[in-house]
Amino acid sequence: MKHVKKVLVLLLSAWLAMNMSGCNFGTVKYDAYTVLQKDTPEAQIVYPMPNTNEISGPAIASVTVNGVTYIGKYVCSRPTAYYFNINHSYKGNGFEFDIRESDGQFAGLYIEHTSPATDTLEEDSLKKIADEIADDYIALNNCRVTREFSDDGLYRCWYQRKLQGYITAEQILVSLRSDGKLERVVIHMQGTFDNVKRVEIDEEKADKLVNERLDEIFQSRVPNGWKSSYVISKELMRVANNQCALRYDVDIEFERADELRHGEIVTLLVIVDHEKYNPFKP
């Protein structure tokens, strides 16, 4: 992979010395194949919602992306999609960017373009530009890559890191205009699997436990009614207590005689074992 471009962050406080998201989640560990449901008290150790009111970033920061340096003023701090991380947002003239609270790394950039694209590049050219940008943050030879032209005229590429064939939560989105100019970069969970050598997953067992938990959810809400469920996505992620988990996003639907059909997405985490890299072993 190409040499990763250095992220230039102007640090005005000692917040970088804090650990993940500025909080200490302790050393509580769950046994392998424990099933946890997101947004319930049982999952708070691995999926906590940080209090962003107690955290803020430096007043000014800068990042360099694709050879261009952006300098912005602090706007706000907010949890990421996986909650236990926090991003600090900055705004400049015609752009916004995010840096990660835990280590100051670049986490996202949005560029506002006020004039429409006047040129349309071939897809091969757009692919090359997107790959060169993503290559600064993720190993392309170990990714699943999804590409599309969106209805709003953008060329979007998703790069999802794989580990032992599993898609992980470490993902990058690069969005380009038709003329090849960068519109957006979004980085999720960069580097969280760098020290994971391998995971140990009995997927049949994990699936069975997930189905059992879904049955419990249905029984608590609609004991005698119609119900169905199917897994939308399944991916490997690191959680806040540094364990690994297989994340299931499940679409469930149910109805009772006195209610219309109701659907919702339920996220379940199955804790799995993993082996760390040992620098003293081959």
Side-chain angles (χ1 to χ4, degrees), residues 10-29:
L10 306 179
L11 300 175
L12 302 182
S13 67
W15 59 275
L16 272 180
M18 302 168 71
N19 58 18
M20 179 177 289
S21 74
C23 303
N24 181 6
F25 298 112
T27 57
V28 176
K29 302 292 182 183

Side-chain angles (χ1 to χ4, degrees), residues 252-280:
I252 66 172
E253 293 185 344
F254 50 87
E255 66 180 5
R256 295 190 302 216
D258 58 343
E259 293 183 2
L260 297 175
R261 181 177 298 181
H262 175 71
E264 65 182 86
I265 306 299
V266 171
T267 296
L268 299 175
L269 306 175
V270 180
I271 302 298
V272 297
D273 288 324
H274 75 277
E275 179 184 351
K276 297 180 180 180
Y277 279 108
N278 186 338
F280 301 103

Side-chain angles (χ1 to χ4, degrees), residues 161-181:
R161 181 173 178 172
K162 294 188 295 185
L163 178 63
Q164 292 175 215
Y166 288 97
I167 298 300
T168 74
E170 185 172 338
Q171 305 175 9
I172 295 176
L173 166 67
V174 176
S175 177
L176 305 174
R177 301 201 317 172
S178 63
D179 56 5
K181 292 183 179 179

Side-chain angles (χ1 to χ4, degrees), residues 4-212:
V4 177
K5 297 174 182 175
K6 293 182 178 179
V7 181
L8 304 177
V9 182
L10 306 179
L11 300 175
L12 302 182
S13 67
W15 59 275
L16 272 180
M18 302 168 71
N19 58 18
M20 179 177 289
S21 74
C23 303
N24 181 6
F25 298 112
T27 57
V28 176
K29 302 292 182 183
Y30 288 105
D31 293 335
Y33 299 101
T34 300
V35 181
L36 305 171
Q37 182 179 346
K38 180 175 169 285
D39 297 328
T40 60
E42 66 178 0
Q44 289 306 300
I45 294 296
V46 300
Y47 230 122
M49 173 66 82
N51 184 358
T52 55
N53 293 329
E54 300 176 355
I55 298 174
S56 64
I60 298 174
S62 70
V63 296
T64 298
V65 182
N66 200 30
V68 179
T69 298
Y70 302 86
I71 302 175
K73 294 182 179 180
Y74 175 76
V75 177
C76 65
S77 299
R78 59 178 183 270
T80 66
Y82 295 100
Y83 287 5
F84 54 87
N85 284 321
I86 291 175
N87 285 345
H88 300 307
S89 295
Y90 292 81
K91 191 168 185 177
N93 185 18
F95 60 85
E96 299 177 19
F97 63 85
D98 289 348
I99 59 175
R100 223 162 42 181
E101 192 276 338
S102 58
D103 55 12
Q105 293 296 306
F106 168 63
L109 169 70
Y110 167 73
I111 301 174
E112 180 182 3
H113 294 281
T114 57
S115 58
T118 58
D119 190 15
T120 300
L121 301 180
E122 296 291 335
E123 183 173 3
D124 286 347
S125 297
L126 294 171
K127 174 181 178 296
K128 181 180 179 182
I129 294 170
D131 286 355
E132 287 177 347
I133 294 172
D135 193 35
D136 290 336
Y137 309 103
I138 199 166
L140 300 188
N141 61 356
N142 195 29
C143 288
R144 181 177 75 180
V145 184
T146 305
R147 308 178 192 273
E148 70 169 20
F149 286 97
S150 65
D151 293 338
D152 53 1
L154 296 173
Y155 180 67
R156 295 192 175 113
C157 299
W158 286 267
Y159 304 83
Q160 300 171 286
R161 181 173 178 172
K162 294 188 295 185
L163 178 63
Q164 292 175 215
Y166 288 97
I167 298 300
T168 74
E170 185 172 338
Q171 305 175 9
I172 295 176
L173 166 67
V174 176
S175 177
L176 305 174
R177 301 201 317 172
S178 63
D179 56 5
K181 292 183 179 179
L182 180 62
E183 186 262 351
R184 189 185 305 269
V185 178
V186 180
I187 300 177
H188 287 301
M189 311 289 282
Q190 183 186 9
T192 53
F193 288 91
D194 286 351
N195 71 338
V196 176
K197 184 175 182 179
R198 66 185 183 90
V199 290
E200 298 178 4
I201 303 177
D202 183 337
E203 196 164 342
E204 183 176 347
K205 180 177 181 179
D207 289 348
K208 181 176 182 293
L209 293 170
V210 165
N211 287 328
E212 290 174 356

